[in-house]
Amino acid sequence: MAPAAISEIKVGHIDDVQELKKSKTSQIPERFIRDRTERPNLDYSCTNIPVVDLSKLFQGSKDEFCSEILNLMTSCKEWGFFQVINHGIDLELLERIEKVAMEFFMMPLEEKQKYPMIPGTVQGYGQAFVFSEDQKLDWCNMFALGLEPHCVRNPKLWPTKPSDFCETVEIYSSEIRKLCKNLLKYIAITLSLNEDIFEEMFGVAVQAVRMNYYPACPRPDLVLGLSPHSDGSALTVLQQGKGSSIGLQILKDDKWIPVQPIPNALVINIGDTIEVLTNGRYKSVEHRAVTHKEKDRLSIVTFYAPSYEIELGPIPELVDDKNPCKYRRYNHGEYSKHYVTNKLQGKKTLEFAKINN
Ligand code: OGA
Ligand code: NI
């Protein structure tokens, strides 16, 4: 059967989780209750994922640079997730973006609904990746915007309130963009590749931001904040709200591990594009978010990806007899479309590119 046209998608009623929380009901609507096998372990204990000190890469001595490159390499290879400190982004800017995001989510529902995320699309306010009436819902409100290049922007979805929202998003995004470019440069170095290889290959990179707001949930043991998935990007930069509960979990060695926020650090993860380009040497790691009984949580997530026009596949230098080619070549725009028109299901979307030997 041909896939349903976007306009035919019937998603049924989607409760707004902040409104559910306000209604003080302890009853969780059926659509949020996960099947037993999907329910989370609520381990909020500390786990330390690797930390990369970017100041040692930006301005360290030669020895510091080399040892931090090694650290970055192991972080990418063994974890796919790490936190960066001394990243050079003004801490006041990190606070400002959190402030406007919180102000946005705290507005009345009618105001937020002026920027609706139409089912089947991923920009605006609502829940992304819902494609049917019987699909389980995430305990999360999202607000997402395409940023770069400008042709991905939908100006109708840029909010007029709070008044400094758009300006703050612009400044924040251009800083995060620089960070992504730098990270890709260093990641290329860890692979013994030309440091500009990703930059040259990506064209004008596509960048989007998604703000996720996870209200406290009376039964965090039954729901998920965000379904397990890998990111379709090349790199993702995630800022965890100050004072938020722990909520991000990554799948490592078949166990869900909570990521302990470090104040002022940013969480970086490898996305599907880098997995393909590195022929699986660096993997995009499956992750999810869980909720908390008393505390709300905010995250601000930037996705950085190649231009839609580019064709990509494993970089030839990373393919040899010992590492046979694991992914086919494809057009990144097609992959993006595939990604946003399927529900989040672990790493299933990347099967699009896998060569089954
Ligand atoms: C995402 C994501 C995790 C979080 O938005 O892709 O993985 O902690 N978010 O909000
Ligand atoms: Ni993600």
Side-chain angles (χ1 to χ4, degrees):
M1 202 173 76
I6 296 292
S7 58
E8 289 169 26
I9 292 175
K10 282 208 176 68
V11 297
H13 176 71
I14 298 180
D15 278 308
D16 183 285
V17 285
Q18 284 175 268
E19 300 303 309
L20 283 178
K21 188 189 169 199
K22 276 186 208 153
S23 71
K24 296 219 158 44
T25 170
S26 57
Q27 207 67 24
I28 309 286
E30 188 57 35
R31 273 190 93 182
F32 290 91
I33 300 181
R34 297 285 170 156
D35 296 341
R36 240 160 245 287
T37 53
E38 285 185 343
R39 290 182 196 171
N41 62 323
L42 294 172
D43 178 1
Y44 301 111
S45 65
C46 315
T47 306
N48 298 320
I49 64 168
V51 175
V52 174
D53 183 345
L54 286 184
S55 68
K56 293 194 176 147
L57 297 176
F58 293 149
Q59 66 219 11
S61 65
K62 201 166 168 221
D63 282 354
E64 283 174 329
F65 181 87
C66 292
S67 79
E68 213 53 20
I69 284 287
L70 227 101
N71 179 22
L72 177 63
M73 183 177 83
T74 322
S75 307
C76 291
K77 194 154 182 271
E78 311 289 331
W79 289 82
F81 258 88
F82 51 93
Q83 309 209 44
V84 290
I85 56 169
N86 300 322
H87 42 63
I89 300 179
D90 191 359
L91 301 181
E92 197 221 347
L93 181 59
L94 301 186
E95 277 168 23
R96 268 170 61 202
I97 192 79
E98 260 176 61
K99 179 172 160 282
V100 294
M102 280 305 279
E103 283 171 2
F104 178 84
F105 284 112
M106 291 310 128
M107 293 195 301
L109 182 62
E110 305 80 70
E111 187 64 34
K112 292 183 281 187
Q113 283 178 336
K114 289 181 184 165
Y115 314 99
M117 190 183 283
I118 311 290
T121 69
V122 286
Q123 293 196 46
Y125 177 78
Q127 278 217 17
F129 307 105
V130 185
F131 298 97
S132 74
E133 291 181 79
D134 48 55
Q135 187 182 329
K136 292 292 178 193
L137 298 175
D138 291 334
W139 195 267
C140 177
N141 280 335
M142 294 177 169
F143 181 67
L145 293 173
L147 301 166
E148 298 292 341
H150 281 217
C151 60
V152 304
R153 295 187 177 201
N154 181 346
K156 289 198 194 101
L157 296 177
W158 286 62
T160 51
K161 285 187 219 165
S163 59
D164 52 349
F165 187 94
C166 297
E167 187 200 346
T168 309
V169 166
E170 295 276 18
I171 302 170
Y172 179 77
S173 303
S174 75
E175 289 298 307
I176 298 283
R177 195 172 180 85
K178 284 186 231 157
L179 174 67
C180 290
K181 285 181 197 290
N182 277 322
L183 284 168
L184 285 171
K185 209 168 78 179
Y186 297 127
I187 289 174
I189 295 174
T190 68
L191 294 161
S192 307
L193 298 167
N194 165 4
E195 63 175 50
D196 295 320
I197 188 167
F198 296 118
E199 178 79 9
E200 282 167 7
M201 191 188 287
F202 281 19
V204 181
V206 173
Q207 187 178 346
V209 68
R210 183 159 74 218
M211 300 166 172
N212 301 310
Y213 188 78
Y214 307 96
C217 176
R219 292 295 305 270
D221 54 324
L222 299 180
V223 310
L224 284 176
L226 185 60
S227 301
H229 65 282
S230 63
D231 293 340
S233 52
L235 280 186
T236 302
V237 179
L238 183 141
Q239 180 177 339
Q240 312 210 56
K242 270 214 174 96
S244 288
S245 67
I246 296 177
L248 174 63
Q249 297 187 334
I250 66 175
L251 190 63
K252 183 159 167 60
D253 306 327
D254 288 326
K255 280 202 193 76
W256 287 103
I257 301 186
V259 174
Q260 171 77 27
I262 301 176
N264 305 323
L266 295 165
V267 179
I268 311 296
N269 68 280
I270 300 287
D272 295 343
T273 305
I274 293 290
E275 174 165 335
V276 171
L277 291 172
T278 63
N279 196 29
R281 192 175 313 185
Y282 294 166
K283 294 200 172 55
S284 68
V285 170
E286 199 172 326
H287 53 286
R288 67 181 185 187
V290 300
T291 60
H292 191 276
K293 200 165 169 116
E294 276 118 34
K295 277 189 170 174
D296 297 5
R297 178 164 178 268
L298 172 74
S299 65
I300 298 164
V301 187
T302 299
F303 303 101
Y304 187 87
S307 157
Y308 292 138
E309 280 101 70
I310 77 146
E311 298 279 320
L312 54 88
I315 295 172
E317 287 93 318
L318 303 176
V319 179
D320 55 34
D321 289 348
K322 278 201 202 122
N323 304 286
C325 188
K326 296 195 183 79
Y327 310 88
R328 65 179 176 91
R329 288 188 71 77
Y330 58 85
N331 163 269
H332 181 67
E334 263 169 48
Y335 185 65
S336 290
K337 193 166 159 204
H338 172 74
Y339 189 92
V340 301
T341 50
N342 279 281
K343 69 174 183 175
L344 297 176
Q345 284 180 84
K347 291 199 62 169
K348 194 153 183 288
T349 16
L350 197 54
E351 280 169 25
F352 175 93
K354 280 232 167 87
I355 296 174
N356 297 313
N357 293 319

